């Protein structure tokens, strides 16, 4: 291997915090039993699980019984959409044009049950068009799913405004906050949504565990039967150590107020400064151009770019990602989880990027593990990779 890789792919996943690893290791030893068992070992596991649940509930100012532990955002999204649709007469589900493939898949599963799916169009910044609100929230819309922060271009959506409009019309609304929560915790009720998805590995917790947060009174049916854990909504023996790791990672996040701070301040003021400085230097390169919202309107750790040759030919993002990796920079093209499969980006299509340029997207997402010295070398490595391709 060449030089050590700098990890600029926080939106794909994040390295677990040492405190997360420590608490999980400890609980694997002390709370390994089945939390449903009535003996001492089981009670110790149940107590550890409930302690984690209380800690997580406090971060979102909800009651612990509003939290449903899942295997991550993909499962939470499916439980939110399919589980809430089960108690509604078939109607229309509206999803934004920039959702993660998990939401698109869940919405399309509803079609088999007699639902129709409508897409909420976005503007050139990737933000849903509010001039479409009355049209899309009219009958027969019963269910809406809106990504809170878009992973590929960093766009932040007007969730509170749309959730309020849904409430007034009796429409159930779910928000996929997988990319928002890593920027901080907030009182759940302030977002006004009925259901909220998050995933621990995006905020330095373990992979394979997440939450669905439910507002009081929102009806939900389980997707699977069994032992009746998680209030009957998600059967299966609870992964106590993973949940404790998720709680530990949530505790480490800052808090923010989504009403007064629609752009979250980020995990530290340093990240925003680092992002701005890096972006400025990258945009000095004639081959790179910013794609999506302006820096002050996007996730504070997020950069999305389009890459081309000096002659103006779009450069395939996936090829660039491989070459940057060989030069010691870990970043991504396309969306966080589907990177590496399809070259054409549905999100870049939705924001109106033309033909071949849709394949030239590049995403850099920063985390507190990167120092100023680390980031200093990034533009130079870009220069050598881009020069080799020009
Ligand atoms: C917005 C969004 N939703 C859902 C997911 C899926 O998350 P998980 O890997 O926890 O299932 C991701 C992962 O990239 C994401 O960014």
């Amino acid at each position: 291997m060449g030089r050590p890789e700098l990890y600029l792919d926080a939106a794909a996943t994040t390295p677990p915090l040492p405190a997360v690893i420590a608490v999980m290791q400890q609980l694997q030893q002390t709370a390994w039993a089945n939390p449903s068992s009535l003996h001492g070992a089981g009670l110790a596991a149940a107590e550890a699980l409930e302690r984690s649940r209380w800690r997580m509930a406090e971060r979102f100012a909800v009651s612990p019984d509003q939290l449903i532990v899942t295997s991550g955002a993909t499962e939470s999204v499916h439980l939110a959409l399919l589980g809430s649709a089960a108690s509604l007469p078939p109607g229309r589900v509206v999803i934004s044009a920039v959702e993660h493939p998990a939401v698109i898949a869940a919405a399309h599963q509803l079609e088999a049950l007699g639902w129709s799916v409508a897409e909420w169009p976005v503007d050139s910044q990737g933000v849903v068009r509010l001039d479409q609100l009355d049209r899309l929230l009219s009958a027969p819309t019963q269910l809406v799913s809106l990504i809170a922060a878009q992973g590929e271009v960093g766009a932040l959506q007007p969730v509170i405004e749309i959730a309020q409009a849904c409430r007034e019309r009796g429409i159930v609304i779910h928000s996929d906050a997988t990319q928002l929560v890593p920027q901080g915790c907030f009182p759940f009720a302030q977002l006004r949504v009925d259901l909220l998805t998050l995933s621990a590995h995006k905020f330095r917790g373990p992979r394979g565990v997440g939450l669905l947060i439910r507002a009081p009174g929102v009806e939900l049916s389980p997707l699977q039967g069994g032992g009746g854990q998680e209030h009957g909504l998600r059967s299966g023996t609870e992964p106590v150590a993973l949940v404790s790791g998720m709680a530990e990672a949530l505790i480490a996040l800052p808090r923010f107020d989504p009403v007064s701070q629609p752009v979250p301040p980020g995990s530290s003021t340093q990240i925003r400064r680092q992002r701005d400085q890096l972006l400025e230097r990258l945009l000095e390169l004639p081959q790179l151009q910013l794609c999506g919202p302006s820096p002050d309107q996007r996730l504070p750790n997020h950069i999305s770019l389009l890459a081309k040759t000096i002659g103006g030919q779009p450069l395939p993002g996936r090829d660039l990602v491989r070459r940057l990796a060989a030069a010691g920079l870990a970043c991504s093209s396309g969306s966080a989880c589907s990177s590496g499969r399809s070259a054409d980006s549905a999100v870049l299509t939705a924001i109106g990027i033309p033909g071949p340029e849709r394949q030239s997207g590049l995403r850099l997402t920063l985390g507190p593990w990167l120092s100023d010295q680390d980031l200093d070398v990034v533009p130079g490595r870009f220069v050598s990779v881009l020069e080799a391709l020009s």
Side-chain angles (χ1 to χ4, degrees):
M1 288 285 285
R3 53 195 141 181
E5 203 171 57
L6 294 179
Y7 189 72
L8 298 113
D9 206 8
T13 197
T14 51
L17 284 170
V20 166
I21 296 171
V23 77
M24 284 179 25
Q25 199 164 18
Q26 189 208 334
L27 287 195
Q28 293 283 23
Q29 288 161 355
T30 58
W32 46 265
N34 188 326
S36 299
S37 299
L38 297 178
H39 43 64
L43 293 179
E47 196 186 311
L49 181 64
E50 288 321 298
R51 201 175 317 116
S52 298
R53 204 185 294 278
W54 276 93
R55 295 176 88 198
M56 296 189 294
E58 190 278 329
R59 299 304 282 174
F60 293 101
V62 295
S63 137
D65 61 12
Q66 287 177 252
L67 303 182
I68 304 154
V69 173
T70 66
S71 61
T74 300
E75 185 186 337
S76 291
V77 157
H78 281 77
L79 180 56
L81 269 64
L82 302 174
S84 58
S87 54
L88 298 168
R92 180 167 63 195
V93 55
V94 177
I95 62 173
S96 85
V98 291
E99 294 299 318
H100 186 273
V103 170
I104 300 171
H108 285 290
Q109 280 192 39
L110 289 176
E111 281 179 326
L113 303 172
W115 287 68
S116 63
V117 181
E119 210 174 70
W120 198 318
V122 295
D123 61 21
S124 61
Q125 314 292 293
V127 179
V128 287
R129 283 174 45 191
L130 287 174
D131 62 350
Q132 300 291 308
L133 187 144
D134 285 331
R135 177 178 74 82
L136 287 165
L137 299 190
S138 63
T141 296
Q142 305 251 42
L143 184 56
V144 169
S145 193
L146 177 62
I147 193 165
Q150 213 288 321
E152 196 172 331
V153 292
L156 297 153
Q157 303 295 343
V159 177
I160 300 176
E161 199 170 341
I162 290 174
Q164 183 59 34
C166 286
R167 265 185 190 217
E168 286 160 8
R169 292 161 173 81
I171 296 168
V172 176
I173 175 160
H174 161 255
S175 182
D176 177 358
T178 307
Q179 296 289 349
L180 180 67
V181 169
Q183 306 308 320
C185 296
F186 45 82
F188 165 76
Q190 284 190 357
L191 276 196
R192 316 286 290 158
V193 297
D194 295 302
L195 296 155
L196 191 82
T197 281
L198 54 123
S199 185
H201 72 97
K202 304 286 187 182
F203 50 84
R204 310 200 69 183
R207 274 115 281 265
V209 67
L211 287 176
L212 181 64
I213 308 181
R214 176 170 62 146
V218 172
E219 281 197 49
L220 214 50
S221 300
L223 304 185
Q224 61 198 38
Q229 289 88 347
E230 300 298 305
H231 314 289
L233 288 168
R234 207 277 188 165
S235 286
T237 303
E238 304 90 334
V240 178
L242 289 178
V243 178
S244 69
M246 171 160 62
E248 196 68 28
L250 276 178
I251 302 290
L253 291 175
R255 294 178 197 265
F256 76 99
D257 172 355
V259 175
S260 62
Q261 296 169 293
V263 179
S267 53
S268 71
T269 46
Q270 169 166 303
I271 289 227
R272 185 182 289 261
R273 174 185 57 74
Q274 287 178 326
R275 190 275 312 265
D276 289 345
Q277 287 173 354
L278 177 61
L279 178 62
E280 201 180 313
R281 289 184 62 195
L282 290 174
L283 291 181
E284 284 167 8
L285 306 179
Q287 297 99 325
L288 299 177
Q289 137 195 6
L290 183 67
C291 162
S294 61
D296 59 341
Q297 295 296 318
R298 67 166 64 214
L299 284 169
N301 67 335
H302 195 287
I303 292 177
S304 47
L305 301 163
L306 295 178
K308 54 181 192 284
T309 62
I310 290 280
Q313 289 302 312
L315 284 169
R318 292 167 69 189
D319 190 23
L320 207 46
V321 165
R322 281 192 209 101
R323 286 169 186 260
L324 288 166
L329 296 181
C331 58
S332 136
S333 69
S335 81
C337 301
S338 57
S339 167
R341 287 207 301 270
S342 162
D344 215 2
S345 158
V347 171
L348 297 188
T349 307
I351 69 171
I353 303 293
E357 285 177 43
R358 280 178 213 148
Q359 298 186 7
S360 71
L362 206 57
R363 180 189 69 192
L364 281 64
T365 39
L366 312 187
W369 51 87
L370 291 163
S371 67
D372 286 357
Q373 289 75 13
D374 288 334
L375 293 171
D376 254 358
V377 306
V378 173
R381 293 191 192 177
F382 261 85
V383 168
S384 39
V385 167
L386 289 169
E387 273 175 1
L389 286 169
S390 279

